Amino acid sequence: MIKAGSIIMILLIASQLSYSQVPTPSENLVWYTSLQQAHELSQQTKKPIFAFFTGSDWCGWCKKFKTEVLTDASVQEALKNYVFFIVNADENRSIVSKFGVIGLPNFFVIDYNENRLKQKAGFMSSEEFISWVNSNLDKRIIDGIRRPIDRRP
């Protein structure tokens, strides 16, 4: 018969092993796991929200993105103009549903009024990610200035 102490020890070791296998992105990024907190900071700073939808330990492409892309200094530089919001899709089904996320990893850029500016699903290399995050995003949004676009020729 296995003693309760042995079972607890096995569970503790197993939890540490599974935790250590989940890559931890760079500590240079401030991670928000609450949409409300990210939204409040976005409104205060007028920075758009970069939302990263990821799986737990089962999503290989998510882990690869965390270890290879988010740790890249040039990616961190590109993300400095954003409020960084990370969503564990397994634990936050309501947010996944709200955004209509199908497939992981999934990325959204949202302005401080929660308007979706762009979205992309799937793994991207550092170069692809930087190109995507910087492309087709009006500089006025990043600078926090919301002026109408002058449509005169």
Side-chain angles (χ1 to χ4, degrees), residues 22-23 54-60 62-63 66 88-91 104:
V22 178
T54 182
S56 291
D57 58 349
W58 59 266
C59 179
C62 300
K63 291 193 290 188
K66 288 177 188 176
N88 182 322
D90 299 323
E91 297 172 0
L104 298 173

Side-chain angles (χ1 to χ4, degrees), residues 25-41:
S26 171
E27 294 178 10
N28 293 333
L29 297 173
V30 177
W31 296 65
Y32 291 89
T33 56
S34 161
L35 181 57
Q36 181 179 346
Q37 286 179 331
H39 182 250
E40 288 171 4
L41 183 60

Side-chain angles (χ1 to χ4, degrees), residues 51-66 85-93 95-97 99-108 119-124:
F52 170 38
F53 288 81
T54 182
S56 291
D57 58 349
W58 59 266
C59 179
W61 290 113
C62 300
K63 291 193 290 188
K64 184 176 175 77
F65 186 80
K66 288 177 188 176
F85 173 54
I86 187 166
V87 182
N88 182 322
D90 299 323
E91 297 172 0
N92 296 292
R93 297 281 184 194
I95 295 174
V96 169
S97 179
F99 283 88
V101 171
I102 300 174
L104 298 173
N106 213 307
F107 313 95
F108 287 83
Q119 181 272 333
K120 184 165 177 80
F123 177 82
M124 293 179 270

Side-chain angles (χ1 to χ4, degrees), residues 32 37-47 83 112:
Y32 291 89
Q37 286 179 331
H39 182 250
E40 288 171 4
L41 183 60
S42 177
Q43 285 184 321
Q44 290 170 5
T45 62
K46 303 299 186 225
K47 290 181 178 182
V83 174
Y112 53 87

